[in-house]
Amino acid sequence: SSTTDLPTKPYYVTTPIFYVNAAPHIGHMYSMTLADVLKRYQSVLHSRPAILLTGTDEHGMKIQQAASNKDMHPKQFCDETAEQFKELASTAQISYNRFIRTTDTDHIQAVEHFWFLLQEKGLIYESKHEGWYSVSDEAFYPESQIEKKMDAFTGEVFMASVESGSKVEWVEERNYHFRMTALRERLLGFYGENPEWVVPAKRMGDVVDWVRNHLTDLSISRPASRLSWGVRVPGDASQTIYVWVDALINYITAAGFPNWQPGRREVGGWPADVHVIGKDIVRFHCVYWPALLLALDLPMPKKVLTHAHWTMNRTKMSKSLGNVVNPMYVMNVHGADVLRFYLMFEGGIGNDADYNNDNLLVKHKKYLQGGVGNLVSRITRSKLWNLKEIISRSPRGRIEFPEDNLATLPAIVDKHMENLDPVSALRAIMEVATQANALLSEIEPWRLKKSTTREDHDLADEMVCLAAESLRVCGILLQPFLPTKADQLLDMLGVLPENRTFKNTELFSDTSYGVPIANPGKGREDSLFPALYQGLQA
Ligand code: ME8
């Protein structure tokens, strides 16, 4: 077949696959939502085929122990929590194409095959291993990165990783190693040629430093007598494959590895356009994963978006600490879009953000209820003008501000999204909506409409048209962030479904809207962003 029938590569974005040792919290929903916004931006606004992968990481010591603490078979234990993550994804409107579980048969086969290829390349050897292992992080740490710590409550003294604070235990065993040091120069070369591979770029420094100064071969199996819950080493059932090697491969399992045909691996999406991850797992994704891919001469993911953490009273929200906010509860009370909005608007990519329910209420009131919501009801509910008629004429010319901001908004949003910065994109959209509202309050078309001069009437029409355009453009751009509410907004304005893509964001390019598509029903006209229930305690 000729090159002309090669399919275009879909945009491919992934979330981490989450450990199933405990129920999901806000932090997991944050990674999922970032990934979903990136995907929807491509698919909804740019009509580009796009794939979103999320799922669960089910093998390893951590899960084995959690299951055994509950006296459950690990698989049965995983089934229960995996279901909760799946439920979170659907409630939060995460438009995933596949929910992968590392216990899926095709994934296990992919891991075995990956191992086989590494072995064929002579990159696996057997030796004795000793070192400090953290079950919580599922990682070995070098002696230099271990310190003595005391539990503030129990007084217990233990050894812990300096980096993560997690408890470590001394391990001596025979296992298999991946000759990662053989890839040092190629890794450094890759980082050098792709200084913007890690987003934000400030997290690249540690990665390079680590590879330059601390890279060692990687222990990639554990004796099955200790770790039985996992994929067995092909040809040596006495060893179980290290959970991080198993987990990282999920990104190519879902893309069709190892059955992709030469030259056609793009069909499944590989290489990924973006891996979305938290800053806690940068080393695994930015050192181990590229080393494994380089070892097999597979293409690298194009970008790794690393985000900061949600804290609760300034302490990292974590399953093991238990200081978590249950997103299902918040969405149950406020709806999915409200929480998505809060996470995207306040969440930290560069710096940690503190979750606070009062702040959620404040931001909702200011930007959604009092901002976009207020604007839409002022424009669509007034009996003083006929919106459809005004839009069909698109009067303009006398009011300038914020038309400039409005006209440039799509390009600005596009730039932020290209830079993998949905937070700035969302803030720019909200800024324009806020300006439009302020201008409307200043010009007061409802007052001008009662005037007797033709001029006042014309100015009022112009203002109404500009406010409607602000809403239409913001509504289109908000679709990836607020999938339900943005649709509802565009329905209320009467924007046809086929006129909701990026190219429709050009000002005054749509003169066909103005009559609601689905009438929300009497008494429900203001239901786009109703006041939130205030009683929720985080
Ligand atoms: O690390 N704030 O799984 P995990 C923001 N299975 N994001 C947070 C967060 C917080 N407080 N807490 C967790 C693992 N996250 C591995 C991943 S990938 C091949 C294997 C998010 O269940 C963030 O994305 O511990 C973090 O990287 C991820 O959840 C860790 O989830």
Side-chain angles (χ1 to χ4, degrees):
S1 64
S2 74
T3 50
T4 49
D5 50 31
L6 273 183
T8 42
K9 191 189 99 62
Y11 184 84
Y12 181 27
V13 51
T14 68
T15 75
I17 47 171
F18 305 104
Y19 287 129
V20 287
N21 61 313
H25 60 72
I26 291 287
H28 308 116
M29 178 168 158
Y30 184 55
S31 306
M32 286 182 176
T33 310
L34 276 173
D36 186 54
V37 168
L38 293 174
K39 180 203 167 181
R40 286 180 191 264
Y41 190 73
Q42 296 297 327
S43 62
V44 177
L45 288 182
H46 289 294
S47 313
R48 179 169 172 198
I51 298 172
L52 168 53
L53 177 69
T54 190
T56 42
D57 189 354
E58 306 191 357
H59 291 133
M61 203 62 110
K62 183 166 164 140
I63 308 303
Q64 183 176 301
Q65 285 183 2
S68 127
N69 288 343
K70 286 202 161 182
D71 263 329
M72 282 172 81
H73 184 276
K75 181 58 166 64
Q76 190 198 345
F77 174 77
C78 291
D79 287 349
E80 284 186 8
T81 328
E83 200 48 50
Q84 294 183 39
F85 277 92
K86 227 174 174 167
E87 236 181 86
L88 170 65
S90 53
T91 306
Q93 307 237 37
I94 307 302
S95 59
Y96 64 83
N97 297 73
R98 174 169 176 186
F99 188 97
I100 194 169
R101 301 179 54 182
T102 51
T103 47
D104 290 345
T105 311
D106 64 340
H107 176 69
I108 291 171
Q109 285 168 356
V111 173
E112 288 168 346
H113 193 75
F114 200 100
W115 183 283
F116 167 78
L117 293 177
L118 281 179
Q119 206 164 33
E120 256 197 338
K121 301 241 175 194
L123 289 167
I124 293 180
Y125 65 91
E126 221 181 324
S127 83
K128 186 169 172 257
H129 191 86
E130 47 182 48
W132 294 102
Y133 194 78
S134 158
V135 173
S136 173
D137 303 342
E138 295 281 19
F140 275 106
Y141 289 101
E143 185 78 45
S144 61
Q145 298 189 31
I146 296 302
E147 64 182 359
K148 218 178 236 170
K149 267 181 88 167
M150 190 174 25
D151 187 299
F153 294 107
T154 64
E156 181 205 355
V157 175
F158 58 95
M159 303 305 284
S161 151
V162 176
E163 192 184 341
S164 68
S166 312
K167 186 174 185 168
V168 293
E169 61 193 18
W170 183 253
V171 167
E172 283 183 41
E173 61 195 24
R174 194 190 61 86
N175 54 31
Y176 289 99
H177 286 67
F178 167 45
R179 212 179 289 283
M180 194 156 60
T181 49
L183 295 150
R184 181 190 277 113
E185 293 318 311
R186 286 180 71 191
L187 281 171
L188 291 172
F190 173 75
Y191 302 144
E193 279 160 29
N194 299 279
E196 288 172 2
W197 185 60
V198 177
V199 181
K202 70 172 181 185
R203 296 209 173 94
M204 183 63 130
D206 285 348
V207 172
V208 175
D209 174 72
W210 203 77
V211 171
R212 195 169 281 147
N213 303 315
H214 306 286
L215 194 74
T216 55
D217 287 347
L218 188 64
S219 159
I220 53 167
S221 72
R222 305 291 308 272
S225 55
R226 289 188 175 166
L227 173 65
S228 59
W229 181 237
V231 183
R232 290 302 157 89
V233 166
D236 182 357
S238 75
Q239 294 271 324
T240 304
I241 296 177
Y242 176 38
V243 63
W244 266 104
V245 171
D246 173 345
L248 289 163
I249 291 169
N250 93 86
Y251 300 132
I252 55 174
T253 301
F257 175 86
N259 299 315
W260 52 34
Q261 292 136 33
R264 312 212 83 189
R265 106 181 20 111
E266 296 76 14
V267 180
W270 196 257
D273 291 80
V274 195
H275 289 318
V276 175
I277 61 164
K279 66 179 180 182
D280 50 319
I281 52 177
V282 169
R283 184 178 307 156
F284 301 97
H285 285 80
C286 302
V287 179
Y288 300 175
W289 184 223
L292 289 163
L293 290 168
L294 281 174
L296 299 194
D297 294 311
L298 291 172
M300 294 291 196
K302 292 181 191 167
K303 296 269 175 183
V304 184
L305 172 59
T306 69
H307 62 75
H309 289 143
W310 283 93
T311 58
M312 191 66 170
N313 302 319
R314 308 272 159 219
T315 306
K316 182 190 173 208
M317 225 180 257
S318 92
K319 289 179 275 204
S320 34
L321 288 177
N323 60 336
V324 298
V325 176
N326 180 348
M328 297 299 283
Y329 180 61
V330 182
M331 288 190 284
N332 200 14
V333 180
H334 297 321
D337 278 357
V338 169
L339 185 54
R340 285 174 66 110
F341 173 78
Y342 177 68
L343 294 182
M344 288 300 102
F345 193 82
E346 289 287 284
I349 290 182
N351 301 305
D352 290 354
D354 204 50
Y355 187 91
N356 177 306
N357 196 55
D358 290 335
N359 187 27
L360 180 150
L361 298 177
V362 167
K363 292 289 154 29
H364 175 271
K365 193 163 185 181
K366 176 163 181 201
Y367 292 101
L368 297 182
Q369 185 187 338
V372 178
N374 188 27
L375 195 54
V376 74
S377 65
R378 283 164 126 185
I379 290 302
T380 61
R381 293 174 68 192
S382 177
K383 302 269 185 301
L384 293 168
W385 53 75
N386 177 337
L387 187 60
K388 174 119 187 126
E389 188 277 325
I390 294 178
I391 297 300
S392 69
R393 287 187 286 117
S394 292
R396 57 181 178 271
R398 286 164 63 189
I399 306 172
E400 273 176 16
F401 181 81
E403 192 177 324
D404 281 353
N405 290 3
L406 180 58
T408 53
L409 179 67
I412 287 169
V413 167
D414 210 44
K415 190 81 207 145
H416 286 313
M417 294 304 289
E418 199 186 304
N419 295 339
L420 305 180
D421 187 1
V423 177
S424 299
L426 181 57
R427 290 187 173 211
I429 300 169
M430 285 301 134
E431 181 61 30
V432 165
T434 305
Q435 287 171 345
N437 232 341
L439 191 68
L440 197 67
S441 299
E442 189 190 314
I443 295 193
E444 298 185 301
W446 45 87
R447 186 181 50 79
L448 294 173
K449 274 291 179 186
K450 290 175 184 148
S451 153
T452 51
T453 74
R454 174 73 193 259
E455 266 201 353
D456 282 350
H457 279 255
D458 287 351
L459 191 65
D461 288 355
E462 205 181 296
M463 183 63 238
V464 169
C465 181
L466 193 56
E469 279 294 276
S470 312
L471 277 172
R472 185 181 69 83
V473 171
C474 289
I476 291 174
L477 295 171
L478 280 173
Q479 292 173 100
F481 297 90
L482 314 175
T484 307
K485 293 295 183 177
D487 266 8
Q488 200 178 329
L489 164 61
L490 295 168
D491 285 353
M492 288 167 92
L493 280 178
V495 178
L496 296 173
E498 62 269 29
N499 293 343
R500 299 179 181 185
T501 67
F502 190 79
K503 65 177 192 309
N504 301 112
T505 57
E506 192 188 325
L507 269 188
F508 308 113
S509 65
D510 182 350
T511 51
S512 70
Y513 70 104
V515 176
I517 286 179
N519 198 314
K522 220 176 163 34
R524 301 215 37 210
E525 296 90 344
D526 58 353
S527 65
L528 184 59
F529 294 112
L532 292 184
Y533 173 61
Q534 309 270 316
L536 181 74
Q537 291 305 309

